[in-house]
């Protein structure tokens, strides 16, 4: 390296820190002193590389938070100061040190602290990343989830555990993970000094097993010992895994004894978790158990309205109502449905309409109509054409029974999620090619015979209820 290069290097370094002070000063004015102290002050500028500013922060949580809330604005402000700047990369200090260190030595600062000294950094690093959209602000509250929501907020606001553990349970896609992330974001924002760990039970188990294999379970325990809030998602995954449960039980007890908050989620209530040890169940039952119920129409509509707003797109009210009416299984599917409709409209450059929605979501809507059974279809169709239900299964080939049978097969294909062989079996053990033929035949007839088409349409409407 020549002297010139060094001079240039230190010159640009000086420029960078001057730029950072300017950018920082501007953002500080925008976000206020408290946020500045918590988030901007701990950031360190390292270098600029191909238009990318490299910065470091002490913990993963800080990184996640800054990325979620400030990095876009920081980049904008910096680009005004220095037009070369295109992006900002934020790394975690200890990881950067580890990558840079020549002899492979543990950098100071990542050693787990001894004797009760704060070791927040170490702990924060084992937390899984948080989804930036999963905040309380983005959570729509309604009858089915108001209790769970209120409990989560209580935990997030409280300095001491108001109940321990908070046990959230409910079916898939109803907002358990969302609420847990919201608690974590909230605490990190209000009291960044507190250590919050969020982990799936699977991850917890995986880390524990790895610690066992590497024979450093002491380290493993240390990681959790200094945690202020420990959240374990989907604990049903550790049911039946005895040694993991054992470890979990001990970690759990020692944290509770120290007055640290624990938040757990599962798909069932503690007592319904099969393969869980009795003593663990009774521990889990000790705090507050809050369930999230299946969504109602009103909640689904509210969620759709909020998501549409977040996407900043105009979705006609009747489309939202239609979706809320049709996609009832869970919020994840509901959201997925809306996203697909919006993406499609943007792709083809057309307004969102009810027609387009029905088209785009054909398969999803059909899956949500699964309530209709083949037996019901057979009964309805038999009644409509005035034949016996047993003729649906019989071998008779007279057109007077064969045609209604084909209509029933056709509707079974349209209205249920059954496969062709499954449908065949329900019609007296017929082959799937027979079903395929029926579907084709009915399609043909519908095209050429409008009164037949009306019949089929009428039946379909009655069955869809
Ligand atoms: P779970 O963990 O219970 O399976 P998630 O928390 O992952 O469910 O939720 C699934 C999706 O639905 C997420 O995108 C989440 O943001 C969304 N969601 C669930 N409930 C709500 C709600 N009440 N308000 C807004 N979004 C919600
Ligand atoms: Mg979840």
């Amino acid at each position: 390296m020549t002297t010139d290069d060094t001079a240039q290097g230190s010159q640009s370094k000086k420029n960078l820190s001057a730029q950072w002070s300017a950018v920082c000063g501007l953002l500080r004015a925008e976000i206020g002193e408290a946020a500045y102290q918590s988030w901007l002050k701990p950031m360190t500028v390292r270098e600029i590389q191909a238009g990318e500013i490299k910065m470091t922060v002490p913990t993963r949580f800080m990184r996640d938070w800054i990325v979620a809330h400030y990095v876009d604005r920081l980049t904008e402000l910096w680009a005004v100061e220095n037009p070369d700047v295109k992006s900002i990369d934020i790394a975690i200090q200890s990881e950067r040190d580890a990558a840079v260190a020549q002899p492979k030595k543990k950098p100071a600062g990542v050693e787990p602290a001894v004797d009760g000294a704060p070791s927040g950094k170490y702990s924060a690093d084992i937390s899984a990343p948080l989804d930036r959209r999963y905040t309380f602000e983005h959570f729509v509250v309604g009858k089915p989830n108001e209790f769970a929501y209120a409990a989560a907020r209580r935990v997030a606001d409280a300095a001491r555990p108001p109940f321990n553990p908070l046990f959230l349970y409910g079916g898939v896609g109803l907002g358990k993970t969302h609420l847990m992330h919201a608690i974590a974001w909230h605490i990190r924002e209000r009291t960044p000094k507190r250590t919050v760990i969020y982990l799936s039970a699977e991850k917890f188990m995986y880390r524990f097993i790895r610690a066992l294999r590497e024979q450093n379970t002491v380290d493993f325990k240390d990681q959790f010992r200094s945690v202020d809030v420990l959240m374990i998602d989907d604990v049903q995954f550790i049911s039946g895994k005895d040694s993991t449960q054992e470890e979990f039980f001990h970690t759990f007890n020692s944290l509770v004894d120290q007055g640290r908050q624990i938040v757990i989620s599962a798909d069932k209530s503690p007592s319904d978790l099969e393969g869980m040890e009795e003593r663990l169940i009774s521990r889990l039952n000790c705090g507050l158990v809050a369930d999230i119920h299946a969504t109602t129409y009103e909640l689904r509509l509210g969620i759709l309205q909020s998501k549409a707003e977040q996407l900043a797109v105009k979705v006609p009210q009747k489309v939202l109502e239609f979706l809320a009416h049709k996609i009832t299984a869970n919020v994840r599917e509901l959201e997925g449905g809306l996203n697909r409709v919006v993406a499609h409209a943007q792709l083809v450059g057309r307004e969102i309409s009810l027609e387009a929605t029905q088209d785009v979501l054909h398969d999803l809507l059909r899956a949500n109509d699964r309530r209709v059974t083949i037996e019901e279809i057979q009964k309805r169709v038999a009644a409509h054409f005035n034949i016996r239900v047993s003729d649906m299964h019989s071998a008779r080939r007279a057109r007077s029974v064969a045609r209604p049978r084909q209509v029933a097969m056709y509707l079974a294909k349209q209205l249920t999620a059954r496969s062709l062989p499954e449908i065949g079996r329900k019609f007296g053990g017929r082959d799937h090619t027979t079903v395929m033929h029926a579907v084709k035949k009915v399609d043909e007839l519908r095209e050429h015979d409008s009164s037949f088409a009306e019949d089929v349409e009428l039946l379909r409407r009655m069955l869809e209820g």
Side-chain angles (χ1 to χ4, degrees):
M1 195 188 265
T2 68
T3 340
D4 263 340
D5 282 343
T6 318
Q8 232 171 23
S10 74
Q11 181 60 31
S12 80
K13 191 135 205 166
K14 201 147 96 208
N15 278 343
L16 271 189
S17 43
Q19 286 166 18
W20 171 233
S21 313
V23 169
C24 214
L26 289 170
L27 193 55
R28 184 184 193 166
E30 285 178 20
I31 65 176
E33 188 59 23
Y36 163 77
Q37 290 288 341
S38 309
W39 306 112
L40 300 186
K41 202 160 164 233
M43 297 179 76
T44 312
V45 193
R46 299 293 169 181
E47 59 190 337
I48 179 167
Q49 241 179 42
E52 186 166 70
I53 302 279
K54 308 273 184 193
M55 304 191 75
T56 56
V57 293
T59 66
R60 185 176 301 276
F61 246 118
M62 264 183 172
R63 204 261 321 264
D64 291 346
W65 186 265
I66 293 165
V67 167
H69 294 85
Y70 304 122
V71 83
D72 291 346
R73 187 68 185 134
L74 274 177
T75 315
E76 274 174 41
L77 291 170
W78 210 317
V80 174
E81 284 295 313
N82 175 358
D84 291 343
V85 172
K86 300 281 176 279
S87 60
I88 298 179
D89 172 72
I90 302 174
I92 297 148
Q93 180 62 54
S94 58
E95 284 176 5
R96 189 176 195 271
D97 288 349
V100 167
Q102 283 300 323
K104 273 215 157 178
K105 206 174 73 188
K106 251 193 181 179
V110 285
E111 313 276 357
V114 218
D115 282 338
S119 65
K121 180 191 298 177
Y122 198 36
S123 302
D125 282 355
I126 65 172
S127 181
L130 300 172
D131 191 311
R132 71 165 87 180
R133 296 160 307 165
Y134 293 178
T135 59
F136 283 129
E137 288 69 37
H138 286 158
F139 191 82
V140 180
V141 186
K143 268 253 143 36
N145 60 24
E146 63 186 2
F147 184 58
Y149 170 82
R153 272 224 91 108
R154 246 334 263 299
V155 164
D157 282 325
R160 271 164 217 306
F163 20 75
N164 222 349
L166 168 60
F167 189 103
L168 298 169
Y169 79 92
V172 173
L174 295 183
K176 302 181 294 291
T177 299
H178 188 135
L179 278 180
M180 291 176 111
H181 285 208
I183 294 173
W185 282 126
H186 191 84
I187 294 176
R188 291 304 302 178
E189 181 185 21
R190 305 270 302 270
T191 43
K193 281 209 189 68
R194 296 176 77 197
T195 327
V196 183
I197 289 188
Y198 163 87
L199 272 183
S200 65
E202 254 177 326
K203 262 274 164 52
F204 179 88
M205 185 171 82
Y206 168 76
R207 285 178 185 281
F208 174 61
I209 291 169
R210 196 178 59 185
L212 278 179
R213 202 172 50 223
E214 293 168 2
Q215 305 192 325
N216 57 359
T217 50
V218 177
D219 272 8
F220 176 82
K221 289 185 174 115
D222 276 349
Q223 290 176 358
F224 291 98
R225 212 170 42 193
S226 59
V227 176
D228 293 299
V229 182
L230 175 65
M231 301 204 248
I232 307 273
D233 205 352
D234 289 319
V235 290
Q236 70 271 10
F237 278 117
I238 62 169
S239 54
K241 319 272 175 16
D242 290 346
S243 60
T244 310
Q245 269 190 53
E246 179 85 15
E247 187 52 40
F248 178 62
F249 184 70
H250 290 307
T251 306
F252 186 100
N253 281 341
S254 85
L255 288 173
V256 169
D257 290 345
Q258 291 173 64
R260 316 299 175 105
Q261 177 74 54
I262 297 190
V263 182
I264 307 272
S265 89
D267 64 352
K268 298 184 193 67
S269 76
S271 319
D272 287 337
L273 285 171
E274 281 159 30
M276 273 293 182
E277 282 180 47
E278 210 40 59
R279 56 179 185 164
L280 189 50
I281 290 174
S282 79
R283 260 299 197 176
L284 292 175
N285 264 320
C286 272
L288 185 77
V289 178
D291 58 341
I292 307 183
H293 301 275
T295 56
T296 56
Y297 172 75
E298 286 74 25
L299 179 59
R300 289 195 295 275
L301 191 58
I303 290 172
L304 286 169
Q305 272 155 350
S306 151
K307 304 274 175 192
E309 253 169 53
Q310 279 171 55
L311 292 169
V313 285
K314 269 213 124 37
V315 184
Q317 181 68 13
K318 63 177 194 297
V319 168
L320 297 180
E321 284 168 7
F322 175 78
L323 292 173
H325 179 66
K326 285 291 189 177
I327 308 179
T328 53
N330 67 53
V331 182
R332 189 171 299 137
E333 268 191 18
L334 191 65
E335 213 180 332
L338 179 66
N339 287 341
R340 268 167 64 184
V341 170
V342 170
H344 176 83
Q346 286 172 347
L347 209 64
V348 301
R350 257 188 277 143
E351 303 247 308
I352 298 169
S353 68
L354 194 54
E355 230 189 351
T357 302
Q358 280 168 315
D359 239 24
V360 174
L361 299 184
H362 200 64
D363 51 341
L364 188 63
L365 294 173
R366 204 189 293 163
N368 269 274
D369 276 333
R370 227 171 266 148
R371 284 158 293 149
V372 187
T373 64
I374 291 180
E375 286 75 14
E376 280 170 85
I377 293 171
Q378 292 174 330
K379 233 190 273 171
R380 273 282 183 184
V381 175
H384 182 82
F385 289 104
N386 218 359
I387 63 170
R388 286 191 306 260
V389 180
S390 62
D391 279 333
M392 290 289 167
H393 314 277
S394 77
R396 286 180 61 201
R397 307 177 89 173
R399 168 151 324 158
S400 61
V401 295
R403 191 69 83 223
R405 197 188 291 135
Q406 285 176 327
V407 169
M409 287 184 198
Y410 170 87
L411 289 170
K413 183 75 195 90
Q414 297 293 315
L415 301 179
T416 73
R418 304 279 167 203
S419 65
L420 295 175
E422 279 177 302
I423 295 173
R425 247 173 275 138
K426 297 262 187 181
F427 284 83
R430 285 179 159 79
D431 194 72
H432 76 276
T433 52
T434 309
V435 184
M436 215 150 70
H437 175 73
V439 172
K440 222 167 105 202
K441 186 77 201 167
V442 171
D443 262 335
E444 263 171 40
L445 286 169
R446 277 173 62 230
E447 238 174 72
H448 298 114
D449 181 344
S450 63
S451 91
F452 177 80
E454 265 167 39
D455 267 8
V456 175
E457 196 47 38
L458 185 72
L459 277 165
R460 175 218 287 282
R461 286 220 205 103
M462 285 196 303
L463 285 160
E464 276 181 340

